Amino acid sequence: NPEQGFEGAMPEISLTVNGEQVTKSVEGRTLLVEFIRETLKLTGTHIGCDTSQCGACTVHLNGQAVKSCTMLAAQADGAEITTIEGLAPEGQLNPMQKAFNDHHGLQCGFCTPGMVMRAMTLVKDNPTPTEADVRHGLEGNICRCTGYQNIVAAVLDGAKALRG
């Protein structure tokens, strides 16, 4: 039997999550979002659609926004991951999080962590976005509550705050 001996074998991955080195064994089929939520207990990263459509699972992988439901945890071996928890390690809101709060850029809050993570990458790539830039940049993240206007205002204000 070619599979004999492989049952139960789990590769070990090593990565940096929110600035901390993590080494864990994972099943080969474990999605990055599952690893973050279930193994690391960082539940700010949400599982929304399971089809990479909604963006609720967005995290930063080596500085770029990725939907963590679209990749296996093993593919992140050696990577640097930042989750929503990593934006406010001291418990103080990041300027983008504060802008979402100030502009009520959330209602139920389910999409918010993914929106904020995507917004941070958008602003890193374009520190002075226009409203059109923000709307285009957030296209892969879906909110079912707000109508987006307050989210766009929050991202524009967050960008301004991050510029200083």
Side-chain angles (χ1 to χ4, degrees), residues 2-47:
E3 293 181 32
Q4 191 172 10
F6 290 103
E7 191 175 315
M10 296 197 325
E12 191 171 82
I13 62 171
S14 188
L15 56 159
T16 304
V17 180
N18 298 332
E20 294 185 28
Q21 186 67 30
V22 174
T23 301
K24 298 276 185 187
S25 294
V26 296
E27 285 188 46
R29 64 184 174 172
T30 302
L31 295 173
L32 180 58
V33 68
E34 295 168 334
F35 178 77
I36 290 167
R37 289 182 57 80
E38 296 168 18
T39 304
L40 302 181
K41 306 299 184 203
L42 297 171
T43 57
T45 302
H46 294 157
I47 299 172

Side-chain angles (χ1 to χ4, degrees), residues 77-100:
D77 188 27
E80 184 172 323
I81 305 285
T82 304
T83 68
I84 192 72
E85 292 91 348
L87 291 186
E90 305 296 319
Q92 296 296 316
L93 292 178
N94 168 286
M96 187 64 72
Q97 291 170 305
K98 185 173 180 336
F100 268 72

Side-chain angles (χ1 to χ4, degrees), residues 60-128:
H60 293 169
L61 174 78
N62 297 327
Q64 290 300 308
V66 298
K67 294 177 181 178
S68 59
C69 76
T70 64
M71 65 184 299
L72 299 171
Q75 291 174 293
D77 188 27
E80 184 172 323
I81 305 285
T82 304
T83 68
I84 192 72
E85 292 91 348
L87 291 186
E90 305 296 319
Q92 296 296 316
L93 292 178
N94 168 286
M96 187 64 72
Q97 291 170 305
K98 185 173 180 336
F100 268 72
N101 185 50
D102 292 348
H103 290 274
H104 197 66
L106 59 125
Q107 283 183 24
C108 82
F110 194 81
C111 71
T112 307
M115 284 282 185
V116 169
M117 297 306 287
R118 179 65 192 111
M120 290 294 292
T121 298
L122 179 126
V123 168
K124 182 185 81 170
D125 294 343
N126 179 1
T128 56

